[in-house]
Structures are given as structure tokens and as C-alpha cells.
């Protein structure tokens, strides 16, 4: 069972998550306020950083965090059981980290409580957003979602909005 701490950082109130499994900790999306994040990680063995996508509000403190812990940004970090789901639409590089043993997803700005991410920014795509939503629909309804902004939610609840989203995308 992973433990999750949330730190809200920066002007855009981005959710940075601190994930601990046994004696190892990783940081997801260190968007700003590196000192605040480092303080929250006190007495933790920080071994890596995961990024959901490279918008400035998600990576603003990335270099400071990497330097502070002498670590590098990696895709696969040992000691954690997760899969990387490619979920473009908000941006080409958007991924969702699926911690399948705990049935938890960190979905960045792909999917929020009661909303989807903007698709009008560079490399955004309505067509890819729809594909990503269709893909995520295949996962269990009771999957917990931790988005890049705002409150966490449950996939089954969000699925009820998908038809509405499809109608409003330019496909
Ligand atoms: Zn973004």
C-alpha cells in the first residue's frame, strides 16, 4: 500500500504528490515551491521523480529537486509497482501513472474531477483526448484518480461525464 501526500504549489495551485512505499519515496510533478516540497519530504528517502507532462506548472521545481536529492528524472523507478499509460490530448507527452496494486492513478492534467484538461494548448488534440478517455474507460470504476489540479475523484464517477465530453470535442 502506497502512502500519498499532496502539496499544492505555485500560482496555478498544482498538485505535487509525494508517494512512499516502504522505505522509498518518489515525487510526482514538482511544479514550484521546491522548499515546501523538500520540507514535506523530511526524513523520507527520495529516490526519484515522475512527471505527468512538461508544462511549466508541473516541472517548475524539477531541476531544484533533482539537484537537491542528486537524482534524475526517470520513467521506471525500482520499488514501485506502476504502469505508464499514454494519455495524450492535453499535451502530446501526457501520461498517467497507474499504481495497479493500489488501483490509483496520477493523471496530471488529462482528467480532473468534473472536467478534462484543456486541448487548445500547443500539442493538445481533441482527437487524442477522446482516444485517451476511451482507453481509461477500460479500467475499474473504483480506481482512485489524483489529478494535477483540484480534488481527487473516482474513475467510475468521472466516466458518467465522458459522453458529454465527446459531444463537446471537435472531432
Ligand atoms: Zn498542463
Amino acid at each position: 500500500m502506497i502512502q500519498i501526500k499532496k502539496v499544492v504549489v505555485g500560482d496555478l495551485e498544482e498538485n505535487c504528490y509525494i508517494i512512499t512505499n516502504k522505505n522509498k519515496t518518489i515525487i510526482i510533478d514538482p511544479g514550484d515551491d521546491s522548499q515546501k516540497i523538500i520540507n514535506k519530504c523530511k526524513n523520507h528517502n527520495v529516490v526519484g521523480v515522475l512527471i505527468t507532462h512538461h508544462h511549466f506548472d508541473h516541472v517548475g521545481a524539477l531541476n531544484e529537486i533533482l539537484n537537491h536529492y542528486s537524482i534524475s528524472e526517470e520513467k521506471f523507478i525500482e520499488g514501485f509497482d506502476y504502469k505508464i499509460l499514454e494519455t495524450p490530448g492535453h499535451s502530446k507527452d501526457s501520461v498517467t501513472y497507474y499504481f495497479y496494486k493500489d488501483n490509483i492513478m496520477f493523471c496530471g492534467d488529462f482528467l480532473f474531477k468534473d472536467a478534462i484538461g484543456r486541448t487548445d494548448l500547443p500539442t493538445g488534440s481533441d482527437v487524442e483526448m477522446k482516444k485517451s478517455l476511451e482507453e481509461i474507460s477500460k479500467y475499474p470504476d473504483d480506481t482512485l484518480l489524483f489529478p494535477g489540479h483540484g480534488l481527487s475523484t473516482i474513475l467510475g464517477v468521472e466516466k458518467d461525464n465522458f459522453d458529454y465530453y465527446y459531444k463537446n470535442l471537435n472531432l
Side-chain angles (χ1 to χ4, degrees), residues 53 55 58 90 109:
H53 65 300
H55 281 160
H58 291 253
H90 171 66
D109 291 355

Side-chain angles (χ1 to χ4, degrees), residues 86-97:
E86 288 184 12
T87 49
H90 171 66
S91 65
K92 190 92 197 147
D93 69 337
S94 285
V95 297
T96 293
Y97 295 102

Side-chain angles (χ1 to χ4, degrees), residues 52-58 90-91 94 108-110 112 117-118 121 149:
T52 62
H53 65 300
H54 288 76
H55 281 160
F56 76 95
D57 56 324
H58 291 253
H90 171 66
S91 65
S94 285
D109 291 355
F110 159 44
F112 301 111
R118 290 176 61 171
L121 299 167
H149 302 267

Side-chain angles (χ1 to χ4, degrees), residues 72-123:
S72 53
E73 184 196 342
E74 281 166 71
K75 290 220 143 167
F76 294 98
I77 299 169
E78 242 175 83
F80 293 86
D81 297 301
Y82 64 91
K83 286 181 194 164
I84 301 175
L85 314 178
E86 288 184 12
T87 49
H90 171 66
S91 65
K92 190 92 197 147
D93 69 337
S94 285
V95 297
T96 293
Y97 295 102
Y98 179 39
F99 288 72
Y100 49 88
K101 285 193 176 165
D102 297 301
N103 210 19
I104 287 171
M105 289 180 179
F106 296 90
C107 47
D109 291 355
F110 159 44
L111 187 54
F112 301 111
K113 181 175 165 55
D114 297 324
I116 50 173
R118 290 176 61 171
T119 54
D120 60 329
L121 299 167
T123 79

Side-chain angles (χ1 to χ4, degrees), residues 89 118-120 124-131 168-171:
R118 290 176 61 171
T119 54
D120 60 329
S125 158
D126 280 3
V127 171
E128 289 189 320
M129 176 58 83
K130 186 179 186 204
K131 275 190 208 153
N168 285 280
L169 292 167
N170 282 315
L171 303 167

